DNA sequence: CATTTATGACGT
DNA sequence: GACGTCATA
């Protein structure tokens, strides 16, 4: 049935949910005494008190702002509680926030398609749930509406006392003469209220939300009333909202495009955009962007909520500002190794928990060339196929760095005259893993391929000689790595002896005992339980891969909830007893403070001796004299494993079933040694999939990411397009 | 060269 | 597929 009329039957109900000052909330849950106090989360406090990355609302009242230094915050708010971000391997460790975000996602995903937009934001498509509610128990049929729902803000709903009074809201929610869209929206409001209360009850986090007919408006709305409130945007108030909305407030227009709009076209508000024809906008900003601008000026956004609960990439990075910039290859290698350790650990968890494998490893760096005229220069990003195993990731990453460095310096190879100045300073490093695809649960055949008796442990022999080893040696830069061999590198650097000494001097803070080195196998394996699930679910589509379903992948917290302290259980039932618990009451009830007992252990930080950080291959590459190596070949656990609970072997079986995220890798590793049948992750090269038997490859095809949609934009939107996703998705 | 450290998306 | 750029919090 062709739809050319302004029809609301295609209306979607989209919510954007945003955790309030999330990192602060995570820290306050961990340390309940901080609740109610002006609090901020700060990372690294050495320099001017560290940088603020999250500021609680109490502190905002004193004028504390994100990205003040800790010291400045203390000036405006002397009583402020500054909590430090956990540190592991000498860098900020955001895993507790990531995990907390996962808790929330798994709750929010219960009522509809859920897209994890960032660590603390999700989009929900609640259309079906809203339609269902409207069909079964429409708001107008309710005698009573939840108190919390009555605190919602309805954009454009005039109110007597400036704020929407509850009576007015209730009337709006329950109007029986409302049009279909508004009724659906009312259902959305109730559903989101419910979800937010659920989040609060199960995680102790508050969030704010926007409910509208598309993502753009939902996102706008979620930020309008914070914290712990929600706002909905009825169709009828869209124009009023956008007309006076500063252009920079729109997602995507906060940067250069927004500035250009302002400067070149004199556009200050979204409403100003209406003056320009689609052609004009396309002419200036290109076809896709032009159409996109034309649409958003009218509140049109067809972007769909993607069913995705998991991140598409993992990265670990660190900056080295000012005088801390890295000047030697050894210090770079040290930090790369730290970053790779973290990355590897996270890849490991992702594989175990989500059955996904990353295929691409990328190195980013930023650098200054100090040799001549202190010019800043782009350090090229480099990527290569990703091989699992900490040591391999470290090795490949270092190779990528060297390739990048060579390109960065130009083929002249700025020789370090004297042995002091490298000619370059690295101010940031990051390593990331992308192209993450589900590993096929599909068949046992793939299991056998990896795990089969004849093939086990000899993956590389199945392949062309250089298949595995050569790939990482050919970063995608214009020059292949092979031309950058160790000899050549040496020529660009001080002699090896000197170089080593300088490296050590440069890493002065580190202890240079160098008695061990990290030649360890990757620090995780598939546990029996997990691999059982993984490899069993034959052709029935693997449940854990279905991102539409909530996943049980997390986590210490999730597991601890049911068995949590009595207090917490009492708290919950107390709340229930009170009937509809309002969010404010939740906190007023007062006994929150005794919750959350045992959260993450802090990560004891230990700097590894340099020797620990050089992988075998790396040492070869820099031609470290053999004698220096010999005494450094000890066995060692990666730092992350050292942080983990040491579990006696006898208790391994038990540990494996109760292990939390934090200790899983550690116990598994030990387990790996004691049980031989298990899969060695190290031996799984993602590239190997290409080498699989044809029938398996075919299965794999089904799981590969869908090919990119063409960036075509259909012209001539009708009003109907306002709500429904366009077939050809708008560019971003 | 002191907004860090993640993320995601698009263009070429 | 690789890489650069932009955007957001």
């Amino acid at each position: 049935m062709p739809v050319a009329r302004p029809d609301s039957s295609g209306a979607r109900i989209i919510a954007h949910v945003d955790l309030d000052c999330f990192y602060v909330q995570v820290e306050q849950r961990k340390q309940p005494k901080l609740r109610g106090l002006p609090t901020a989360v700060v990372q690294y406090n050495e320099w001017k008190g560290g940088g603020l990355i999250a500021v609680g609302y109490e502190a905002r009242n004193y004028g504390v702002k994100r990205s003040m230094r800790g010291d400045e915050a203390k000036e405006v708010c002397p009583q402020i509680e500054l909590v430090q971000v956990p540190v592991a391997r000498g860098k900020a460790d955001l895993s507790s926030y990531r995990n907390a975000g996962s808790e929330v996602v798994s709750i929010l995903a219960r009522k509809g398609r859920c897209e994890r937009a960032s660590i603390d934001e999700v989009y929900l498509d609640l259309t079906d749930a809203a339609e269902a509610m409207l069909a079964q128990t429409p708001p107008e049929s309710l005698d009573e509406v939840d108190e919390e729902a009555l605190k919602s803000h309805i954009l454009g709903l005039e109110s007597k006392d400036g704020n929407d009074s509850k009576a007015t809201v209730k009337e709006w929610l329950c109007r029986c003469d409302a049009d279909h869209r508004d009724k659906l929206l009312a259902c959305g409001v109730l559903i989101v209220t419910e979800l937010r209360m659920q989040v609060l009850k199960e995680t102790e986090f508050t969030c704010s939300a926007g409910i509208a007919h598309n993502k753009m408006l939902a996102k706008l709305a979620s930020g309008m009333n914070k914290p712990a409130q929600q706002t909905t945007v009825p169709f009828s108030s869209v124009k009023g909202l956008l007309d006076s909305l500063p252009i920079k407030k729109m997602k995507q227009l906060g940067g250069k495009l927004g500035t250009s709009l302002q400067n070149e076209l004199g556009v200050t508000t979204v409403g100003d955009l209406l003056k320009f024809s689609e052609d004009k906008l396309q002419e200036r900003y290109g076809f896709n962007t032009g159409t996109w601008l034309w649409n958003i000026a009218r509140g049109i956004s067809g972007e769909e909520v993607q069913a995705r609960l998991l991140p598409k990439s993992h990265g670990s990075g660190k900056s080295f500002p000012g005088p801390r910039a890295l000047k030697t290859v050894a210090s770079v290698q040290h930090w790369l190794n730290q970053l790779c350790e973290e990355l590897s650990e996270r890849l490991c968890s992702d594989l175990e928990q989500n059955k996904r494998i990353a295929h691409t490893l990328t190195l980013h760096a930023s650098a200054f060339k100090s040799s001549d005229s202190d010019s800043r220069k782009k350090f090229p990003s480099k990527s290569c196929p990703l091989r699992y195993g900490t040591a391999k990731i470290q090795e490949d990453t270092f190779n990528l760095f060297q390739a990048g460095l060579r390109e960065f310096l130009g083929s002249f190879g700025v020789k370090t005259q004297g042995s002091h100045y490298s000619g370059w300073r690295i101010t940031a490093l990051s390593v990331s893993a992308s192209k993450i695809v589900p590993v096929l649960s599909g068949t046992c055949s793939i299991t056998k391929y990896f795990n089969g008796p004849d093939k086990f442990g000899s993956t590389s022999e199945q392949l062309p000689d250089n298949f595995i080893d050569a790939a990482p040696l050919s970063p995608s830069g214009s020059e292949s790595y092979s031309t950058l061999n160790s000899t050549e590198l040496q020529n660009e650097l001080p002699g090896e002896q000197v170089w080593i000494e300088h490296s050590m001097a440069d890493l002065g803070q580190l202890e240079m005992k160098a008695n061990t080195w990290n030649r360890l196998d990757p620090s995780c394996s598939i546990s029996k339980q997990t691999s059982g699930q993984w490899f069993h679910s034959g052709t029935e589509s693997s449940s854990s891969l279905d991102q539409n379903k909530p996943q049980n992948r997390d986590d210490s917290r999730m597991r601890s909830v049911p068995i949590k302290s009595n207090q917490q259980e009492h708290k919950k039932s107390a709340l229930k007893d009170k009937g509809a618990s309002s969010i404010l009451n939740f906190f007023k009830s007062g006994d929150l403070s005794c919750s959350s007992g045992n959260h993450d252990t802090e990560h004891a930080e230990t700097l590894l001796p340099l020797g620990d950080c050089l992988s075998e291959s790396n040492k070869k590459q820099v031609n470290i004299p053999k004698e220096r190596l010999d005494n450094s070949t000890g066995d060692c656990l990666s730092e992350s494993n050292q942080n983990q609970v040491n579990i006696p072997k006898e208790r391994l079986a038990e540990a494996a079933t109760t292990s939390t995220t934090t200790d899983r890798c550690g116990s598994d590793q030990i387990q790996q040694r004691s049980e031989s049948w298990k899969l060695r992750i190290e031996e799984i090269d993602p590239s190997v999939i290409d080498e699989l038997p044809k029938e398996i490859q075919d299965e794999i095809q089904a799981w590969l990411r869908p090919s990119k949609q063409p960036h075509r934009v259909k012209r001539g939107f009708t009003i109907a397009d306002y709500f429904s996703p366009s077939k050809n998705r708008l560019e971003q």
Side-chain angles (χ1 to χ4, degrees):
Chain A
M1 197 167 53
V3 177
R5 63 185 189 288
D7 181 8
S8 62
S9 68
R12 293 180 296 158
I13 300 300
I14 309 297
H16 179 259
V17 181
D18 193 341
L19 280 294
D20 305 316
C21 53
F22 188 43
Y23 292 5
V24 169
Q25 286 204 77
V26 172
E27 297 300 341
Q28 288 178 332
R29 183 176 75 173
K30 198 179 310 190
Q31 253 183 292
K33 65 169 191 190
L34 296 177
R35 287 194 190 278
L37 303 179
T39 306
V41 173
V42 72
Q43 61 188 353
Y44 310 128
N45 61 357
E46 319 253 308
W47 194 71
K48 298 191 178 177
L52 272 54
I53 56 175
V55 181
Y57 283 84
E58 294 87 350
R60 292 184 201 195
N61 292 336
Y62 290 86
V64 177
K65 296 207 194 125
R66 192 169 183 275
S67 143
M68 276 180 168
R69 304 305 309 189
D71 292 348
E72 306 172 62
K74 282 277 187 193
E75 283 171 22
V76 289
C77 179
Q79 340 86 290
I80 195 171
E81 301 281 346
L82 296 178
V83 183
Q84 297 201 203
V85 171
V87 170
R89 304 180 186 89
K91 67 177 292 296
D93 175 14
L94 305 182
S95 57
S96 62
Y97 310 124
R98 258 180 231 114
N99 292 337
S102 297
E103 292 177 45
V104 175
V105 166
S106 68
I107 293 165
L108 293 177
R110 289 171 188 165
K111 299 262 172 130
R113 195 186 321 144
C114 177
E115 175 180 336
R116 186 174 192 168
S118 78
I119 196 166
D120 67 346
E121 287 175 277
V122 308
Y123 288 96
L124 303 174
D125 188 328
L126 300 172
T127 309
D128 292 346
E131 294 277 13
M133 178 185 285
L134 193 53
Q136 292 157 28
T137 56
E140 61 194 78
S141 73
L142 300 177
D143 302 327
E144 217 178 341
V145 175
D146 190 294
E147 269 295 294
E148 195 56 40
L150 298 183
K151 294 179 192 160
S152 301
H153 300 266
I154 319 289
L155 221 61
L157 185 66
E158 81 299 340
S159 50
K160 294 134 200 185
D161 45 12
N163 251 336
D164 311 342
S165 79
K166 290 183 180 175
T168 321
V169 171
K170 178 166 184 182
E171 188 194 323
W172 187 89
L173 289 174
C174 302
R175 271 176 48 177
C176 38
D177 60 338
D179 79 13
H180 184 64
R181 294 172 300 202
D182 281 355
K183 287 183 177 177
L184 271 187
L185 223 38
C187 294
V189 165
L190 297 182
I191 294 166
V192 171
T193 302
E194 185 73 25
L195 284 171
R196 289 175 49 239
M197 288 174 36
Q198 208 66 34
V199 167
L200 182 58
K201 189 161 79 171
E202 294 182 32
T203 69
E204 302 173 21
F205 299 137
T206 67
C207 53
S208 299
I211 303 101
H213 292 303
N214 62 47
K215 286 171 87 173
M216 174 192 82
L217 294 170
K219 164 82 176 167
L220 260 182
S222 72
M224 300 185 61
N225 295 284
K226 301 186 87 177
Q229 295 166 78
Q230 62 186 46
T231 307
T232 189
V233 187
F235 177 75
S236 57
S237 56
V238 171
K239 180 162 171 49
L241 165 63
L242 295 183
D243 261 346
S244 58
L245 187 77
I247 197 98
K248 291 252 176 194
K249 300 244 176 182
M250 294 285 307
K251 186 170 166 153
Q252 298 294 294
L253 297 182
K256 295 188 175 179
L257 181 54
T259 304
S260 156
L261 243 20
Q262 226 161 357
N263 296 339
E264 327 251 325
L265 297 185
V267 171
T268 309
T269 67
V270 177
D272 294 342
L273 261 184
L274 291 170
K275 295 182 238 168
F276 298 88
S277 71
E278 188 176 2
D279 288 337
K280 172 83 173 177
L281 294 171
Q282 287 177 339
E283 172 195 321
R284 192 164 298 256
Y285 295 106
F287 184 81
N288 285 346
T289 305
T291 300
W292 180 79
L293 286 169
W294 191 89
N295 281 326
I296 60 124
R298 291 155 182 79
I300 297 171
S301 155
E303 249 185 297
E304 281 190 85
V305 174
Q306 303 296 311
R308 186 173 53 74
L309 305 184
L310 302 174
K312 287 181 158 179
S313 64
H314 298 292
S316 174
K318 179 167 176 57
S319 70
F320 306 93
R324 301 195 1 191
L326 309 182
K327 305 178 195 77
T328 68
V329 171
S331 60
V332 168
Q333 186 167 37
H334 165 76
W335 284 111
L336 285 178
N337 282 336
Q338 306 306 300
L339 300 177
C340 288
E341 256 187 37
E342 181 190 323
L343 181 61
S344 181
E345 193 174 279
R346 284 162 58 191
L347 288 172
C348 225
S349 305
D350 201 357
L351 175 56
E352 284 193 2
Q353 298 172 15
N354 309 312
K355 319 303 179 238
R356 306 193 302 169
I357 300 186
H359 284 251
T360 302
L361 177 69
T362 305
L363 170 88
H364 296 279
S366 46
F368 286 92
K369 207 190 281 197
S370 42
S371 61
D372 60 340
S373 74
D374 250 22
S375 62
R376 76 183 59 106
K377 199 190 161 195
K378 278 166 224 173
F379 194 99
S381 301
K382 293 288 163 195
S383 56
C384 71
L386 191 154
R387 301 183 298 162
Y388 274 66
T390 305
K392 290 184 176 170
I393 291 172
Q394 289 171 334
E395 176 187 338
D396 294 346
T397 296
F398 185 61
N399 286 335
L400 292 176
F401 173 78
Q402 288 179 102
L405 180 61
R406 201 172 110 84
E407 198 175 310
F408 176 76
L409 295 175
S411 33
F412 319 105
V414 179
K415 285 215 165 97
T416 53
Q417 312 84 348
S419 30
H420 285 347
Y421 236 16
S422 317
W424 46 267
R425 278 173 300 166
I426 299 293
T427 56
L429 290 173
S430 83
V431 187
S432 58
S434 57
K435 293 183 191 155
I436 306 180
V437 298
V439 79
L440 288 303
S441 61
T443 50
C444 293
S445 43
I446 191 167
T447 311
K448 286 183 184 147
Y449 184 83
F450 286 129
N451 216 3
D454 50 332
K455 298 177 177 171
F456 176 80
S458 57
T459 312
S460 58
E461 272 123 56
Q462 308 280 307
L463 304 170
D465 260 344
N466 57 353
F467 185 81
I468 285 183
D469 289 329
L473 298 182
S474 307
S476 57
S478 47
E479 312 217 28
S480 86
Y481 170 71
S482 58
T483 64
L484 179 69
N485 55 31
S486 51
T487 320
E488 195 170 335
L489 179 64
Q490 286 301 301
N491 289 339
E492 298 173 3
L493 295 165
E496 44 198 65
Q497 288 290 345
V498 180
W499 178 75
I500 290 293
E501 282 168 21
H502 278 145
S503 313
M504 295 173 116
D506 214 75
L507 293 170
Q509 322 87 300
L510 303 180
E511 289 192 24
M512 296 304 298
K513 287 177 188 155
N515 49 7
T516 61
W517 98 356
N518 187 356
R519 55 172 175 70
L520 198 63
D521 283 345
S523 47
C524 76
S525 69
I526 306 296
S527 68
K528 203 167 202 167
Q529 295 78 12
T530 342
S531 64
Q533 293 167 0
W534 178 10
F535 292 122
H536 260 255
S537 54
T539 42
E540 76 269 35
S541 69
S542 59
S543 56
S544 65
L545 291 175
D546 186 344
Q547 304 211 331
N548 281 314
K549 298 181 186 172
Q551 299 183 14
N552 286 342
R553 65 193 133 76
D554 264 341
D555 126 0
S556 56
R557 179 83 194 169
M558 310 246 1
R559 272 175 212 164
S560 68
V561 166
I563 58 173
K564 221 164 175 183
S565 64
N566 292 333
Q567 292 107 322
Q568 170 121 5
E569 286 310 317
H570 285 139
K571 198 184 326 168
K572 288 180 185 172
S573 45
L575 283 166
K576 229 170 203 166
D577 293 342
K578 284 190 203 166
S581 59
S582 88
I583 287 176
L584 284 182
N585 284 341
F586 189 90
F587 284 112
K588 285 179 189 157
S589 73
D591 58 352
L592 263 180
S593 52
C594 47
S595 64
S596 63
N598 42 359
H599 283 295
D600 300 11
T601 61
E602 11 350 347
H603 302 260
E605 223 242 295
T606 325
L607 284 175
L608 288 178
L610 177 60
D612 290 356
C613 307
L614 296 171
S615 72
E616 185 161 11
S617 57
N618 289 337
K619 289 187 177 178
K620 282 177 190 158
Q621 276 154 12
V622 295
N623 283 343
I624 297 174
K626 187 83 166 95
E627 51 282 8
R628 303 196 69 131
L629 297 183
D630 285 345
N631 62 358
S632 64
T633 52
D635 186 42
C636 87
L637 293 173
S638 66
E639 185 178 346
S640 59
N641 292 324
Q642 290 172 352
N643 282 340
Q644 287 156 7
V645 187
N646 253 338
I647 302 172
K649 280 183 183 162
E650 309 80 69
R651 299 189 49 209
L652 277 177
E654 176 195 345
T657 62
T658 59
S659 68
T660 63
T661 305
T662 5
D663 68 17
R664 181 173 298 125
C665 279
S667 58
D668 281 352
Q669 178 170 13
I670 302 172
Q671 215 177 11
Q672 173 183 345
R673 295 191 196 112
S674 56
E675 298 187 39
S676 58
W677 62 269
K678 286 201 192 68
L679 182 58
R680 291 172 60 201
I681 303 308
E682 178 190 22
E683 299 301 334
I684 302 179
D685 188 314
S687 321
V688 88
I689 288 177
D690 298 326
E691 305 294 317
L692 291 170
K694 194 155 208 156
E695 67 274 19
I696 298 180
Q697 277 197 45
D698 289 341
E699 292 189 45
I700 295 178
Q701 289 302 336
W703 285 100
L704 292 180
R705 293 269 137 151
S707 55
K708 274 196 266 180
Q709 304 184 11
H711 297 124
R712 271 281 304 129
V713 170
K714 187 177 178 180
R715 301 188 57 167
F717 273 94
T718 69
I719 190 73
D721 296 318
Y722 182 90
F723 296 112
S724 48
S726 56
K727 307 231 163 78
N728 305 313
R729 272 191 54 208
L730 293 179
E731 66 155 12
Q732 129 103 320

